[in-house]
Amino acid sequence: MKIKENKKIWISGGIIVLTITLVLSIFIFSIKTTPTLKLKVSSEKISSNYKGEIIIPAVLSKLPDNEYPAASVEIKFDNNKLEFVGISIGTMETYNDYDPERDDEASYKIPQWSYNEEVANQEGVIKAMYLDTTAGKNAYVSSGFEKEKKDIPFQLIFKLKDSVIPNDELVIEIEEAVFATINGDVDKTTLSTKDSYGKLKVRDGIIRITS
């Protein structure tokens, strides 16, 4: 009897271990495959009296195969200590007025995102967007994306204000981010930080200040 009971316990324990391993494997795989938008801030501290521009690339880890004619972000920053200068182009490409019925091959371009610098500095929130008004001819696509080469949709530019002091940690937080597909509301292919859409993870940035 004891041998049979021990065997049952061993089998049950083995099933539990296998189940936990499987769940963890699925979870880790999900993390690795979920697109992530990251603010890539330099790990080096910046002097409190630095007067130059601070450029922070927004890096996307992957772009699933689809057309994304619209994208937007809301990014919070400390407007008491940082001045938002603007947004420069990145490296990620969209179609360049591509019509598959007209053109043999697609051409590409790096687009400029729109934003209101004055409002952003007043509110401490950057609201920026890219909109392809042709709904596809100038969309973000996977063929315009390449990791570590064409993976930056835009770059944020800041300057330090005189109120910055040594040991400040200035958090730049992505509150919301969306890369929208044409039928995203129906098939949930839109990449978004909102739970009702396709998952998009974000990683905030921190500017660390030294003396």
Side-chain angles (χ1 to χ4, degrees):
M1 289 293 290
K2 286 184 179 180
I3 293 173
K4 288 184 178 180
E5 286 177 4
N6 288 338
K7 187 177 288 186
K8 285 181 180 179
I9 292 170
W10 184 86
I11 291 171
S12 299
I15 292 171
I16 292 170
V17 170
L18 286 172
T19 303
I20 292 172
T21 302
L22 181 61
V23 170
L24 285 173
S25 298
I26 293 171
F27 177 72
I28 292 168
F29 178 76
S30 175
I31 291 174
K32 287 184 176 180
T33 57
T34 301
T36 301
L37 185 65
K38 171 188 175 182
L39 296 179
K40 192 175 181 180
V41 179
S42 172
S43 59
E44 294 184 7
K45 291 185 176 182
I46 297 175
S47 172
S48 58
N49 58 13
Y50 179 69
K51 300 302 180 185
E53 292 183 342
I54 302 168
I55 299 174
I56 302 175
V59 182
L60 190 64
S61 64
K62 66 178 294 186
L63 187 68
D65 189 14
N66 216 316
E67 292 185 357
Y68 303 85
S72 64
V73 291
E74 288 190 17
I75 300 173
K76 185 178 179 180
F77 68 100
D78 186 346
N79 57 346
N80 293 314
K81 306 226 173 188
L82 286 171
E83 175 193 352
F84 171 60
V85 177
I87 292 178
S88 64
I89 61 171
T91 57
M92 215 165 108
E93 298 177 337
T94 64
Y95 281 144
N96 184 16
D97 196 33
Y98 173 58
D99 185 344
E101 295 183 0
R102 178 195 64 201
D103 305 318
D104 293 331
E105 292 185 3
S107 59
Y108 300 87
K109 65 180 179 181
I110 300 174
Q112 175 69 58
W113 286 47
S114 61
Y115 57 93
N116 188 313
E117 174 191 333
E118 184 178 351
V119 172
N121 280 304
Q122 288 173 355
E123 298 179 349
V125 179
I126 302 163
K127 297 178 181 178
M129 69 178 299
Y130 170 71
L131 180 62
D132 167 19
T133 55
T134 67
K137 292 181 181 179
N138 296 283
Y140 279 113
V141 284
S142 58
S143 53
F145 174 90
E146 185 177 353
K147 192 171 178 63
E148 297 182 356
K149 290 185 179 180
K150 300 178 182 180
D151 57 357
I152 301 172
F154 60 87
Q155 301 184 89
L156 303 174
I157 307 172
F158 292 98
K159 282 187 175 181
L160 299 180
K161 291 187 174 182
D162 292 337
S163 54
V164 167
I165 59 174
N167 298 320
D168 269 345
E169 292 193 345
L170 310 177
V171 178
I172 303 169
E173 178 184 357
I174 303 176
E175 293 191 316
E176 186 176 305
V178 177
F179 285 82
T181 59
I182 295 173
N183 298 313
D185 288 339
V186 177
D187 58 18
K188 306 301 180 187
T189 52
T190 286
L191 301 179
S192 175
T193 50
K194 297 178 180 178
D195 290 338
S196 57
Y197 292 90
K199 293 293 183 182
L200 176 63
K201 294 184 179 296
V202 295
R203 290 181 60 185
D204 303 329
I206 301 176
I207 299 174
R208 292 181 168 84
I209 306 299
T210 187
S211 57

